[in-house]
């Protein structure tokens, strides 16, 4: 649980991610508008798609992810006006996200943060014009992410001598390759999206406050590529989440001022970014209090639920994610078995005719 995994991750990336979040937090604090801080911090998640690309390519990548996050918040916010559409909206965004990331072979976190922000959008209580304003605030975090990502990438290449990663394939080439070599592309993506849809629908049906926590936990668990990895992530997320909620309750008990809350959020974000690639369970010690404090920072925008609903959503989403992943694993093995038998049958037909 507390084993620190060796990684080639640089502190430059960790610092860049932290500063991307700090920019909208500080701007919101300076102008006295904490919605800028809250929604701008969501845009800063675009930094987490950082890859060692050349500066123009990295800026384009962060920009596209940022636009996707803004679109996700808008779709989620629209669905909050008709709550019964929230599972549909989350299922749709999840399906598109899984398909695109699998076709383009985009590594983790893949579509997770787009799904997460869409899920958080379903918990908004904003009128349409205020929703558009919130989406524009997200853009502040996206711009900050582009700036710090390009600076971090240049520093890594210029001073740490880290080579740029080069992917010369076009989108069309990736698509052709996926269609020809990834026969389970559509089936797997539909399964993942259906599981997130079900987690959201069930949480709504059970009346667990904001159902988006179940969807987020489910999407986080489904990031694992193998069932064994998903099982370990599931245990780590539940244990780490419980500890994180206890830490969040401790911060709430301190009755922190707005300034102190912003400082704590910036510090927590640095810890999250450092721990995420080294120990997933440890990272959850910090993600949960960060999420609670961030949502509470602008409680007039989000429907704030009790910590107990956060816990229920955490456990429910994690369990649904694991059970769904097990079903996916079983169905994919059956599919591959049938595919192998069909190929063997096709290969033996010419011999029978001869």
């Amino acid at each position: 649980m507390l084993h620190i995994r060796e990684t080639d991750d640089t502190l430059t990336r960790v610092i860049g991610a932290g500063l991307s979040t700090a920019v909208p937090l500080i701007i919101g604090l300076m102008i006295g508008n904490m919605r800028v801080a809250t929604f701008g911090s969501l845009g800063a998640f675009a930094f987490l798609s950082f890859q060692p690309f050349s500066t123009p390519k990295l800026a384009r990548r962060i920009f596209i992810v940022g636009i996707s996050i803004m679109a996700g918040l808008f779709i989620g916010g629209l669905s909050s006006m008709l709550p019964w559409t929230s599972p549909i909206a989350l299922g749709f965004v999840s399906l598109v996200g899984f398909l695109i990331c699998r076709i383009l072979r985009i590594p983790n976190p893949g579509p997770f943060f787009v799904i997460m922000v869409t899920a958080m959008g379903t918990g908004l209580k904003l009128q349409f014009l205020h929703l558009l304003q919130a989406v524009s605030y997200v853009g502040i975090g996206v711009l900050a992410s582009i700036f710090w990502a390009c600076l971090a990438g240049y520093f890594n290449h210029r001073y740490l001598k880290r080579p740029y990663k080069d992917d010369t394939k076009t989108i069309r080439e990736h698509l052709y390759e996926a269609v020809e070599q990834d026969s389970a592309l559509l089936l797997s993506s539909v399964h993942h999206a259906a599981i997130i849809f079900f987690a959201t629908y069930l949480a709504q049906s059970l009346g667990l406050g904001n159902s988006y926590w179940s969807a987020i936990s489910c999407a986080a668990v489904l990031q694992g590529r193998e069932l064994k990895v998903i099982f370990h992530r599931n245990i780590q997320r539940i244990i780490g989440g419980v500890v994180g909620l206890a830490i969040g309750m401790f911060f709430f008990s301190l009755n922190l001022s707005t300034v102190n809350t912003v400082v704590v959020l910036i510090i927590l974000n640095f810890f999250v970014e450092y721990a995420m690639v080294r120990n997933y369970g440890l990272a959850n010690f910090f993600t949960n209090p960060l999420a609670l404090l961030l949502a509470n920072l602008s409680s007039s925008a989000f429907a704030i639920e009790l910590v107990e609903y956060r816990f229920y959503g955490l456990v429910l989403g994690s369990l649904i994610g694991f059970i769904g992943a097990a079903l996916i694993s079983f169905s994919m093995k059956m599919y591959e078995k049938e595919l192998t038998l069909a190929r063997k049958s096709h290969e033996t037909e010419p011999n029978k005719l001869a």
Side-chain angles (χ1 to χ4, degrees):
M1 177 70 184
L2 297 179
H3 173 70
I4 304 299
R5 184 169 56 250
E6 291 186 8
T7 175
D8 61 352
D9 184 44
T10 64
L11 287 178
T12 310
R13 187 202 64 81
V14 175
I15 293 171
L19 292 175
S20 296
T21 303
V23 168
L25 285 173
I26 293 173
I27 290 176
L29 186 62
M30 291 177 63
I31 66 176
N33 186 346
M34 298 320 295
R35 288 193 179 186
V36 172
T38 300
F39 291 111
S41 297
L42 299 183
F45 288 135
F47 184 97
L48 303 183
S49 60
F50 179 92
Q51 288 287 307
F53 293 139
S54 63
T55 301
K57 188 172 183 178
L58 179 59
R60 184 167 62 251
R61 181 188 183 93
I62 301 293
F63 175 77
I64 293 173
V65 173
I67 292 297
S68 301
I69 288 175
M70 295 171 71
L73 183 71
F74 181 71
I75 293 171
L78 281 181
S79 73
S80 70
M81 299 175 188
L82 292 172
W84 64 269
T85 65
S86 295
I88 300 173
L90 270 168
F92 171 75
V93 171
S94 300
L95 176 60
V96 173
F98 284 125
L99 281 172
I100 291 175
C101 289
R102 188 146 177 169
I103 289 171
L104 300 181
R105 297 184 180 278
I106 297 175
N108 282 340
F112 172 70
F113 286 104
V114 176
I115 296 171
M116 188 190 78
V117 173
T118 304
M120 294 186 73
T122 65
L124 291 176
K125 48 180 183 178
L126 298 176
Q127 297 179 351
F128 183 75
L129 291 179
H130 289 162
L131 174 60
L132 291 178
Q133 190 178 55
V135 172
S136 70
Y137 292 157
V138 175
I140 296 174
V142 174
L143 293 175
S145 296
I146 294 173
F147 174 78
W148 291 114
C150 290
L151 191 61
Y154 174 79
F155 186 90
N156 284 347
H157 180 71
R158 180 71 175 79
Y159 297 102
L160 300 183
K161 306 302 178 183
R162 296 294 182 96
Y164 284 137
K165 182 179 178 181
D166 191 22
D167 182 6
T168 57
K169 291 181 182 178
T170 64
I171 294 179
R172 178 177 294 183
E173 288 172 335
H174 275 294
L175 180 59
Y176 285 155
E177 185 179 276
V179 172
E180 291 178 0
Q181 300 180 12
D182 193 353
S183 59
L185 168 67
L186 182 59
L187 181 61
S188 178
S189 298
V190 170
H191 278 180
H192 278 72
I195 293 168
I196 292 174
F197 168 89
F198 178 72
T200 310
Y201 177 78
L202 183 60
Q204 277 192 345
S205 300
L206 295 175
L208 299 182
N210 281 337
S211 57
Y212 64 77
W213 290 122
S214 295
I216 292 172
S217 295
C218 186
V221 170
L222 289 174
Q223 279 189 283
R225 298 292 184 183
E226 300 176 358
L227 188 59
K228 183 179 179 180
V229 175
I230 291 175
F231 175 75
H232 286 300
R233 287 177 70 91
N234 188 41
I235 299 299
Q236 287 179 318
R237 183 165 182 82
I238 292 176
I239 296 176
V242 171
V243 175
L245 288 177
I247 295 174
M249 292 175 64
F250 169 73
F251 283 129
F252 279 148
S253 70
L254 298 178
N255 294 318
L256 298 172
S257 66
T258 302
V259 175
N260 289 335
T261 300
V262 168
V263 173
V264 170
L265 282 169
I266 293 173
I267 294 173
L268 284 173
N269 193 63
F270 279 111
F271 279 117
V272 169
E273 295 308 323
Y274 180 82
M276 187 61 71
V277 297
R278 293 169 173 83
N279 185 295
Y280 181 72
L282 183 62
N284 277 277
F285 288 9
F286 310 112
T287 56
N288 284 279
L290 187 147
L292 289 171
L293 289 174
L294 189 60
N296 192 57
L297 199 60
S298 183
S299 56
S300 60
F302 284 94
I304 301 299
E305 76 295 337
L306 298 175
V307 173
E308 64 179 292
Y309 285 132
R310 172 73 165 114
F311 171 74
Y312 295 148
L314 167 71
V315 175
L316 179 65
S318 298
L319 291 178
I320 291 175
F322 175 70
I323 294 171
L327 291 174
I328 290 175
S329 178
F330 176 75
S331 62
M332 292 308 300
K333 286 180 180 178
M334 294 295 294
Y335 174 77
E336 290 172 1
K337 184 178 179 180
E338 291 293 328
L339 196 62
T340 301
L341 290 174
R343 286 172 180 168
K344 288 181 178 179
S345 176
H346 180 72
E347 290 172 357
T348 56
E349 278 185 6
N351 296 328
K352 290 181 179 180
L353 294 174

